[in-house]
Amino acid sequence: MWQRIVETKVAVYSFDELSESQQILVEEAKKQVSNAYAPYSGFHVGAAVELANGEVFGGNNQENSAYPSGLCAERVAMFYANAQFPKVAVKSLAIAAYTNDDFLKLPVTPCGACRQVLLESETRFESDIEVILYGTDEVYVLNNVRQLLPLCFEKSSLQQ
Ligand code: THU
């Protein structure tokens, strides 16, 4: 027996330390929070996706009285972007969450299903997606989605 160590590298920034383009994308994700439809959880999430051609698409969580029918902000934004520009890679994604009258102090992190969807987009375009997870005290920046989903199941897993 041996142990494989799986590591994830996360760069931790304050908002002010982010580059101007990262700050702009985070601001867009924060703006998107206000259009969330989250009457059941009260947890409002905003996402902003920047494509390689400079287009930016936003999304927010859309809940439903039949809970599983709702969708997270990341998937709303990502599917929307891929639906509009099916041939253009996604460059960056930022997310922010707001609850109890404030943005979260620590970064909001995507759920497992969203990580899987984000990974598909990264794989599809063979292009890393930078992931920016906003919190008021700390902002996490990951170089790609793969870092968020170690030991993942993907396209190549089907061919072994
Ligand atoms: N949610 C997101 O939109 N993104 C996340 O990263 C985490 C969770 C939504 C789903 C649901 O509407 C609410 O937040 C509470 O889970």
Side-chain angles (χ1 to χ4, degrees), residues 57-130:
F57 290 95
N60 27 61
N61 52 332
Q62 300 294 320
E63 296 187 347
N64 194 284
S65 55
Y67 291 1
S69 302
L71 202 61
C72 294
E74 297 89 321
R75 275 177 285 169
V76 170
M78 184 59 78
F79 287 148
Y80 183 30
N82 288 163
Q84 300 311 308
F85 285 96
K87 294 205 163 82
V88 183
V90 174
K91 214 178 96 189
S92 253
L93 164 93
I95 61 174
Y98 187 95
T99 191
N100 299 323
D101 299 323
D102 212 349
F103 284 99
L104 301 194
K105 283 194 172 55
L106 294 178
V108 56
T109 51
C111 76
C114 285
R115 292 176 199 214
Q116 188 71 35
V117 166
L118 300 176
L119 181 71
E120 186 72 28
S121 191
E122 186 165 275
T123 313
R124 169 180 174 180
F125 297 107
E126 294 176 2
S127 176
D128 281 354
I129 301 174
E130 176 190 54

